[in-house]
């Protein structure tokens, strides 16, 4: 019996199943500690689906960059990458470079980003944020992503 996944698996599952972060300590990917960030990036660097993961994160983050390391990049690094790509594209098209997104609105309560903001700032954590974080953890464990739709 072959253990290989059928070629017709939905795209979403076909790469998430090969994520190197599966079974790893997920707190590495959602930490502000340098040592943890380095450890997460090391896992991503050796991940066979890094490009797909990064592309998916960028696709999902059309309006604001979510928390966590995806495709080897922190959310700040993904924001920079998006701006760099847009600048490059504008140059190719002979347009003025785009302005960096400023005044990003903080994520509303009931999201993992808001939960992480509470943790970072030492704020009390409300039920909606706690639930969102727990749900995201569960999704990450089962799909390799915190995003609901893959
Ligand atoms: S976060 Fe993405 S690139 Fe990093 S190990 Fe997981 S699937 Fe691979
Ligand atoms: Zn909250």
């Amino acid at each position: 019996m072959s253990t290989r996944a059928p070629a017709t698996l939905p795209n979403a599952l076909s790469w998430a199943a090969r994520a190197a972060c599966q079974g790893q300590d997920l707190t590495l990917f959602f930490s502000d500690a340098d040592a943890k960030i380095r450890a997460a990036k090391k896992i991503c660097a050796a991940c066979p689906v890094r490009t797909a993961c990064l592309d998916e994160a960028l696709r999902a983050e059309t309006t604001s960059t979510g928390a966590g390391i995806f495709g080897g990049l922190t959310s700040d690094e993904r924001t920079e990458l998006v701006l760099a790509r847009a600048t490059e594209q504008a140059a190719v098209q002979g347009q003025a470079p785009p302005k960096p997104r400023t005044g990003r609105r903080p994520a509303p309560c009931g999201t993992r980003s808001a939960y992480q903001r509470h943790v970072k700032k030492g704020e009390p954590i409300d039920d909606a944020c706690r639930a969102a974080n727990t749900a995201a953890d569960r999704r990450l464990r089962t799909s390799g992503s915190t995003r609901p739709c893959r």
Side-chain angles (χ1 to χ4, degrees):
M1 198 177 86
S2 171
T3 53
R4 280 175 62 177
T8 52
L9 255 186
N11 186 37
L13 290 175
S14 59
W15 71 263
R18 292 186 291 138
C21 52
Q22 296 269 0
Q24 298 282 345
D25 174 6
L26 297 179
T27 65
L28 297 178
F29 294 83
F30 294 95
S31 170
D32 290 327
D34 285 345
K36 286 196 167 192
I37 291 171
R38 271 198 304 277
K41 288 186 163 202
K42 204 169 159 191
I43 294 168
C44 292
C47 178
V49 295
R50 196 178 66 83
T51 307
C53 175
L54 179 59
D55 285 349
E56 180 61 31
L58 295 178
R59 231 193 331 269
E61 294 169 335
T62 48
T63 53
S64 75
T65 313
I69 292 174
F70 287 94
L73 299 185
T74 64
S75 77
D76 283 352
E77 288 165 346
R78 290 197 300 282
T79 301
E80 279 168 28
L81 176 64
V82 167
L83 183 63
R85 283 183 178 176
T87 303
E88 201 174 300
Q89 200 184 340
V92 168
Q93 295 170 349
Q95 292 165 356
K99 291 196 179 69
R101 270 200 301 253
T102 50
R104 246 196 282 155
R105 245 181 300 147
C109 276
T111 62
R112 188 181 179 103
S113 297
Y115 173 88
Q116 283 162 346
R117 188 178 65 241
H118 297 326
V119 171
K120 205 167 170 178
K121 295 187 172 175
E123 296 167 352
I125 295 162
D126 51 284
D127 288 348
C129 283
R130 197 181 301 281
N133 185 58
T134 306
D137 264 347
R138 206 174 305 124
R139 279 197 298 277
L140 187 53
R141 243 174 324 216
T142 53
S143 74
S145 166
T146 58
R147 293 178 179 80
C149 307
R150 287 244 147 171

